Amino acid sequence: MNAHSLRGFRDILPPESEVFAGAEAAAREVFRLYGYRELRIPTIEAKELFVKSTGDTTDIVEKEMYAFTDQGGREVAVRPEGTPGVVRAYIENNLSQSGRNAKYFYIGGMFRAERPQAGRYREFTQIGAEHIGNPSPFADAENILVLFSILDRLGLAGLSVELNSLGCGGCRKNYRETLLAYLKANLDALCEPCRNRIDRNPLRALDCKADGPALAEKAPKMALCAPCSAHFAKTQELIKAAGREFHVNPNMVRGLDYYTRTVFEVRTSALGSQDAVAGGGRYDDLVKSMGGPQAPAIGWAMGLDRLALLLKDKPRPSADAEAFVVAASEAAREPAFKLLTELRAAGISADSSNFELSLKSQMRSADKSGAAAALILGDDELKNSSCSVKFLKDKREQLTMPAAQLPAELKKLLN
Ligand SMILES: [Zn+2]
Ligand SMILES: [Zn+2]
């Protein structure tokens, strides 16, 4: 047995796991304020769900999806992103009929069989927010403000927000022709995969890592129809009115097929290259195309793994125990165990090492634990119904207090 994780997978150890948990808690609080409720979707879905929604010409589906045939001969895939599952759940559970806002968030692992590289893992955690059934630019603005609010709470600086509109089906149809003609006239400038798929999806060339940057300058820009143009203008106006800054990037195309109208990305320069930490957009046709009702929608997803690198040095609540209980004699072991339970019941985090080890060994563990105080029970303490308190992080004198006064007195001493 070789105790190794799979290539591209990793363990998230404390304290990094606490960075993740802190970010998730901040996001949950913001979601509560904005009326987004949690949806827990399956990790594995029918492969077809992602092929049909994310798009069969996207890198995610073409190259990066973990898909396999299960024991029952079904073609399944481990989710590469959250939106298709949320939309499937919305349709399957008739959530359009609930009479409530369909505003959902999810938090969980996503999987892509990318070539492993620094900071990129094959399983990564995403937080996502979807608002389904509201076509108004107010929904766009609100959905984007949720993202701003979460990033605020995380205390991140150096972020830039880019906004664009990809238009509706009508705008896209016209643009598709114009762009296709341009690309065909410039085939030499395209990489092999792009050349092979331009007829199916010319827009993907603009998002291609190889061709996109050069094409962005010269390729014709999309002209929005009047309703799309008004929608985009109103969205921008509402975000500005909320005091948020962004810039419009007419070259931004998101790498998924289902986006319509508003798309956005949050980037940071803090990790070297211009890394996107979050992105999303409107997907007005996806629900219907998957067999659901006409339900225009907008959403985004944020990757926690790279954010965690930015957040790891920020102060956060200590996860160390407040009190470390030590049994200094054999007779004290069970009372010490009882004391642990009493402390925890009173809301004091408490830990111990092995009561059956020597006093010296237990005190060494107490010192390493990061706890503020060691509570020592020995024969003398038992005889006097007391407890000795040794402060581990400051030079306060060791003291002895009546056991009955613990944990109330301890709380005061620790504050
Ligand atoms: Zn349009
Ligand atoms: Zn390309």
Side-chain angles (χ1 to χ4, degrees), residues 193-320:
C194 281
R195 257 179 261 166
N196 292 332
R197 69 187 165 206
I198 52 171
D199 283 306
R200 284 182 294 155
N201 190 348
L203 243 72
R204 293 275 307 118
L206 297 179
D207 195 44
C208 171
K209 284 181 187 79
D211 317 326
L215 288 173
E217 300 292 312
K218 294 176 217 142
K221 304 283 178 282
M222 184 183 293
L224 296 177
C225 70
C228 284
S229 179
H231 183 101
F232 192 37
K234 189 71 186 175
T235 300
Q236 292 180 56
E237 184 192 317
L238 291 168
I239 298 171
K240 254 182 226 157
R244 298 299 188 167
E245 284 176 23
F246 57 88
H247 70 269
V248 173
N249 177 357
N251 298 320
M252 183 181 50
V253 184
R254 303 266 309 144
L256 312 179
D257 281 358
Y258 51 64
Y259 286 124
T260 53
R261 293 197 162 172
T262 314
V263 289
F264 51 95
E265 234 168 56
V266 180
R267 293 165 182 277
T268 171
S269 48
L271 294 172
S273 61
Q274 276 285 21
D275 265 331
V277 291
R282 188 164 264 293
Y283 49 96
D284 286 346
D285 307 322
L286 181 61
V287 179
K288 186 134 196 248
S289 78
M290 287 170 60
Q294 176 62 42
I298 183 159
W300 51 257
M302 179 166 94
L304 275 192
D305 295 73
R306 272 179 288 168
L307 273 184
L309 292 176
L310 298 174
L311 295 172
K312 68 181 194 319
D313 299 324
K314 296 216 176 273
R316 61 180 172 273
S318 169
D320 294 334

Side-chain angles (χ1 to χ4, degrees), residues 354-374:
N354 182 351
F355 290 142
E356 292 169 6
L357 296 177
S358 69
L359 171 62
K360 200 172 158 198
S361 159
Q362 289 183 58
M363 285 309 296
R364 214 164 29 228
S365 298
D367 280 323
K368 282 189 185 156
S369 72

Side-chain angles (χ1 to χ4, degrees), residues 148-171:
F148 273 114
S149 301
I150 292 172
L151 294 169
D152 274 357
R153 291 222 176 197
L154 299 180
L156 288 171
L159 297 170
S160 67
V161 178
E162 301 198 338
L163 211 58
N164 191 20
S165 175
L166 300 180
C168 62
C171 305

Side-chain angles (χ1 to χ4, degrees), residues 33-265:
L33 296 173
Y34 279 83
Y36 279 72
R37 301 170 78 195
E38 186 171 15
L39 200 57
R40 297 193 178 211
I41 46 174
T43 309
I44 298 183
E45 302 262 8
K47 180 184 171 188
E48 188 191 23
L49 175 71
F50 303 107
V51 174
K52 291 254 164 79
S53 56
T54 308
D56 57 359
T57 62
T58 59
D59 284 350
I60 295 175
V61 167
E62 262 187 342
K63 299 186 232 159
E64 297 167 359
M65 195 158 65
Y66 273 102
F68 57 95
T69 308
D70 75 1
Q71 290 88 332
R74 288 165 291 254
E75 293 289 315
V76 300
V78 193
R79 61 187 183 195
E81 58 147 345
T83 305
V86 171
V87 170
R88 192 225 8 92
Y90 176 82
I91 298 169
E92 184 171 345
N93 298 288
N94 269 320
L95 297 176
S96 63
Q97 301 301 308
S98 76
R100 304 186 67 134
N101 275 332
K103 300 205 277 192
Y104 304 106
F105 73 88
Y106 58 83
I107 299 177
M110 304 293 154
F111 303 81
R112 291 185 200 167
E114 288 185 284
R115 205 167 49 81
Q117 48 180 307
R120 295 262 194 180
Y121 301 97
R122 289 179 159 182
E123 177 178 9
F124 50 96
T125 303
Q126 281 194 339
I127 299 180
E130 316 284 354
H131 185 173
I132 306 176
N134 186 338
S136 149
F138 288 92
D140 297 47
E142 187 187 73
N143 185 257
I144 294 170
L145 291 176
V146 173
L147 182 52
F148 273 114
S149 301
I150 292 172
L151 294 169
D152 274 357
R153 291 222 176 197
L154 299 180
L156 288 171
L159 297 170
S160 67
V161 178
E162 301 198 338
L163 211 58
N164 191 20
S165 175
L166 300 180
C168 62
C171 305
R172 297 274 275 275
K173 194 159 176 282
N174 296 332
Y175 181 59
R176 194 180 182 282
E177 300 308 317
T178 318
L179 182 64
L180 190 58
Y182 174 83
L183 295 176
K184 285 196 164 160
N186 293 278
L187 273 185
D188 290 351
L190 297 183
C191 72
E192 185 73 32
C194 281
R195 257 179 261 166
N196 292 332
R197 69 187 165 206
I198 52 171
D199 283 306
R200 284 182 294 155
N201 190 348
L203 243 72
R204 293 275 307 118
L206 297 179
D207 195 44
C208 171
K209 284 181 187 79
D211 317 326
L215 288 173
E217 300 292 312
K218 294 176 217 142
K221 304 283 178 282
M222 184 183 293
L224 296 177
C225 70
C228 284
S229 179
H231 183 101
F232 192 37
K234 189 71 186 175
T235 300
Q236 292 180 56
E237 184 192 317
L238 291 168
I239 298 171
K240 254 182 226 157
R244 298 299 188 167
E245 284 176 23
F246 57 88
H247 70 269
V248 173
N249 177 357
N251 298 320
M252 183 181 50
V253 184
R254 303 266 309 144
L256 312 179
D257 281 358
Y258 51 64
Y259 286 124
T260 53
R261 293 197 162 172
T262 314
V263 289
F264 51 95
E265 234 168 56

